[in-house]
Amino acid sequence: MNLLISTIIFKTFNLENFISFIRSNNLFNKSDHLLVACSGGVDSIVLCDLLYLYGFTFSIAHCNFQLRANESDADETFVKSLGAKYHVPVYVKRFDTTNFASDNKMSVQHAARELRYNWFDQLLNERQLSFLLTAHHADDNVETVLMNFFKGTGISGMHGILPKRDKLVRPLLFTTKKEILEYAIDKGLSWVEDASNETVKYTRNFFRHKVIPLIEQTIPTASANVAQSIEHLKEVEIIYNQAIESYKKQLLIFKGNEVHIPILKLVKSVPINTIAFEILKPYGFTPAQAKELPAFLQSETGKYITSSTHRVIKNRKWIIIAPVASGEAHTLIIESTDNAVSFETGRLLFSISDNLEMSTDLSTAILDFKQIQFPLLLRKWKQGDYFYPLGMPKKKKIARFLIDQKIAKTDKEKVWVLESDQKIIWVIGQRIDNRFKVSESTKKVLRIKLVQ
C-alpha cells in the first residue's frame, strides 16, 4: 500500500470518522474509564489502537473459554501483552464453557455469551468503569439484520446492532471489516486469528461465509445497500413504535400481573396481525402464535395459547394475558388432568369420584361431574358476575350475595370464582351453583377442596 492511500485511510477511518461517530451518537467522552472486550482479533485490536491514539482511558477484558486448547491459551498470552503496549490494565477470566453449557442445557455459543457478559457486568461494577466497548462493525450489523429478517423478529430486528444500549457501546459500527483490516495492515498491528470464525456450523458464520457472498454474486452492492437501509429503518421504527404505543394505550388494561384486552376494540384494530404480534411479543409468544390471535378471538371461552411464561386466555368478551406461574396470575386455566392448583388465596385440590357422600364444609365443593365442561377458569370475581346459589331457583349477583353473607369489604376483594363454560360453578369458600349440585341422576362427582 503506497503512502498516499495510507494517508487517505488514516484520515477518513482513524480519527475523523471514529471521533465523529462517537460524538454524534454521544457514546462516551474523555472523562470516562472504558472497558474493551478484546478477543485478540483484528477488530478489537484496532479498537484498542484507536482509543489509545485519541487518549481515551481504558482497560482490557479477555475471556478464555478454553474451547481451542493451546490456541485459547496463546490468545490469552497475546492479549495480556497489550497491557504493556498501551499501558492499560488487562483482566483475564477462564471459563469452563463446555461444562457450563451442558449443565444449563444450552449451546456452547449461548453459554459463552452468557458467561462473558455476566463477567463484564461484574467488572464494570467492581472497577467502577463507565462503559463496555465491543468491536462490532458495519458487516456484523448487516449479518445481524439478515439473520433477524429470516428469524421473523419484526421491525425491531431491522435496526440491527445499536451504537449504544445502556452501558454497552459499539464505536466501530460506522466502518467495514475491509477498512478495519486495511487500517491494521497500514499501522503494522499484530492480531490473532480464531479458526472457529471460519466454520459455518454457527449461524452468523453461515451467513458471513455462505449466504452473503452468494447474494453478492448477483448484487455486488448488497451489503452496502443493507447497511444504508439500516439507517432508514431506524427512523421508520421510531414512527412504527409511536403507532404501536398508541394502540397499546387504547387496548391494554393492566390488572396486577395481567393484561386485559377488550375483544370488540381489538377486532376493529388495523392491521390486527401486526398489532397482535407487538402486544404478545414481550410475553414470549412467537410470530406464528400471534398470527393465530384473530381466529382465536372467535373461539369459545376458556381457550388459550401458551408461551414459556404466559397464557393468552379467551374469557367472554376479553382476552387476558396472564403469567403461567399460578402464584402470579389472577386468571388461571384448569384442565381435567390437573390435580391441584395454587392461587392467591390458597390451593385447590381436585378429584373425580363415584363417592356421592356430601359435605357441609364451605371449603369443599361437590359437583355433578357430568355437568362440568373443561377447561375451568379460576379468577377473581368482578362486578356483574352472577350465579344461582345452592338452594335458590333464581340467579343472584355475586356482589349482592356477598353483602347478604355479611362479607367485609376487605374480604370481598379476596373472593375468587370457578367457571365452567362461562357459568360460575363455585364462589370459592362460600357456595356452589345450584345448577351443578349433585342430583339423583349423578353418577360421578368432581370434588374440590380449598386448602389455605
Side-chain angles (χ1 to χ4, degrees):
M1 183 178 292
N2 62 42
L3 182 59
L4 176 61
I5 295 176
S6 171
T7 303
I8 291 172
I9 291 172
F10 183 86
K11 285 183 178 179
T12 59
F13 169 71
N14 179 21
L15 293 180
E16 291 183 11
N17 288 351
F18 180 61
I19 299 304
S20 175
F21 187 74
I22 291 170
R23 287 173 176 166
S24 62
N25 289 279
N26 193 29
L27 300 185
F28 47 82
N29 55 52
K30 283 289 186 73
S31 64
D32 293 318
H33 190 150
L34 312 171
L35 180 66
V36 180
C38 183
S39 65
V42 64
D43 305 332
S44 53
I45 292 298
V46 167
L47 176 55
C48 288
D49 199 67
L50 291 169
L51 293 170
Y52 177 73
L53 280 176
Y54 201 70
F56 285 107
T57 303
F58 67 97
S59 299
I60 292 173
H62 175 74
C63 300
N64 184 341
F65 296 109
Q66 303 188 82
L67 296 173
R68 296 177 292 117
N70 293 337
E71 285 186 27
S72 293
D73 294 339
D75 292 353
E76 177 184 321
T77 300
F78 172 74
V79 173
K80 284 179 177 177
S81 72
L82 298 176
K85 178 178 181 178
Y86 294 119
H87 311 291
V88 298
V90 178
Y91 307 111
V92 173
K93 181 81 169 179
R94 291 189 167 209
F95 298 102
D96 188 352
T97 313
T98 302
N99 283 336
F100 181 84
S102 176
D103 292 344
N104 292 277
K105 295 180 174 56
M106 60 176 65
S107 68
V108 170
Q109 261 190 314
H110 186 185
R113 178 181 175 81
E114 185 166 321
L115 287 169
R116 68 176 176 267
Y117 280 107
N118 285 343
W119 180 54
F120 292 154
D121 286 342
Q122 181 183 337
L123 278 176
L124 288 173
N125 292 327
E126 290 179 354
R127 304 288 174 173
Q128 297 183 323
L129 306 176
S130 306
F131 298 103
L132 170 68
L133 274 57
T134 64
H136 291 93
H137 47 73
D139 293 19
D140 293 321
N141 217 359
V142 170
E143 293 158 8
T144 297
V145 167
L146 289 176
M147 288 190 295
N148 287 345
F149 177 79
F150 287 107
K151 289 176 182 177
T153 58
I155 198 167
S156 64
M158 296 300 98
H159 64 228
I161 304 169
L162 296 175
K164 187 176 187 179
R165 176 173 286 175
D166 299 325
K167 289 194 171 186
L168 179 58
V169 179
R170 287 89 167 216
L172 294 185
L173 285 180
F174 70 94
T175 191
T176 65
K177 181 75 170 187
K178 179 175 179 291
E179 291 169 333
I180 289 172
L181 280 168
E182 287 173 343
Y183 172 83
I185 293 168
D186 179 59
K187 293 281 289 180
L189 300 179
S190 299
W191 65 89
V192 294
E193 296 285 358
D194 185 343
S196 66
N197 287 335
E198 300 303 315
T199 178
V200 295
K201 71 177 183 179
Y202 301 127
T203 302
R204 182 174 292 278
N205 287 351
F206 178 75
F207 272 78
R208 178 178 299 166
H209 299 304
K210 294 291 185 181
V211 175
I212 294 175
L214 185 62
I215 294 171
E216 289 183 334
Q217 288 179 18
T218 303
I219 309 173
T221 59
S223 291
N225 294 345
V226 173
Q228 192 173 31
S229 295
I230 288 171
E231 296 306 310
H232 174 64
L233 288 168
K234 284 179 183 176
E235 296 184 357
V236 171
E237 185 183 11
I238 293 171
I239 299 170
Y240 175 88
N241 286 337
Q242 288 172 347
I244 291 299
E245 285 306 310
S246 177
Y247 277 110
K248 286 183 177 180
K249 286 180 181 178
Q250 296 172 39
L251 293 170
L252 308 186
I253 300 170
F254 294 89
K255 296 186 177 182
N257 290 330
E258 294 183 352
V259 180
H260 292 225
I261 307 169
I263 291 175
L264 290 177
K265 281 189 178 181
L266 183 57
V267 295
K268 293 177 182 177
S269 302
V270 179
I272 190 170
N273 285 335
T274 298
I275 294 166
F277 171 71
E278 293 296 342
I279 288 174
L280 296 182
K281 183 172 63 172
Y283 303 100
F285 292 91
T286 65
Q289 288 177 308
K291 198 172 181 179
E292 295 174 18
L293 191 60
F296 179 74
L297 300 178
Q298 310 302 321
S299 64
E300 65 271 21
T301 284
K303 287 290 185 181
Y304 62 93
I305 305 170
T306 303
S307 74
S308 59
T309 59
H310 285 75
R311 284 195 181 101
V312 176
I313 306 164
K314 167 73 180 299
N315 184 22
R316 301 182 186 179
K317 296 179 181 180
W318 294 85
I319 291 294
I320 299 171
I321 304 173
V324 170
S326 57
E328 301 176 14
H330 290 166
T331 306
L332 300 171
I333 293 290
I334 300 166
E335 297 284 8
S336 58
T337 52
D338 291 334
N339 296 319
V341 62
S342 297
F343 67 116
E344 187 179 275
T345 302
R347 185 171 173 82
L348 294 180
L349 308 179
F350 296 85
S351 62
I352 300 168
S353 171
D354 54 9
N355 178 3
L356 306 186
E357 182 180 348
M358 302 305 294
S359 172
T360 57
D361 183 2
L362 292 179
S363 64
T364 300
I366 302 173
L367 308 162
D368 189 342
F369 181 70
K370 71 174 182 293
Q371 304 295 334
I372 304 295
Q373 184 173 322
F374 286 91
L376 304 181
L377 205 64
L378 177 62
R379 62 173 176 81
K380 284 191 171 182
W381 79 280
K382 59 180 183 289
Q383 291 295 331
D385 279 344
Y386 67 87
F387 77 132
Y388 291 75
L390 180 65
M392 298 183 183
K394 293 183 179 180
K395 68 182 180 183
K396 177 176 280 194
K397 287 191 174 180
I398 290 181
R400 182 73 252 174
F401 172 79
L402 296 177
I403 291 172
D404 292 346
Q405 297 300 114
K406 296 182 170 37
I407 305 295
K409 185 176 181 179
T410 52
D411 291 332
K412 286 179 185 177
E413 298 170 357
K414 302 174 185 178
V415 174
W416 288 59
V417 297
L418 194 61
E419 253 187 47
S420 171
D421 191 25
Q422 303 186 52
K423 301 179 185 70
I424 292 174
I425 62 177
W426 187 25
V427 178
I428 309 294
Q430 297 296 329
R431 196 173 302 185
I432 68 169
D433 188 288
N434 199 62
R435 295 167 292 180
F436 296 85
K437 68 181 180 182
V438 174
S439 67
E440 292 181 358
S441 62
T442 300
K443 298 288 192 279
K444 286 186 177 180
V445 295
L446 174 64
R447 192 179 299 270
I448 311 170
K449 175 72 175 176
L450 171 64
V451 179
Q452 294 177 303

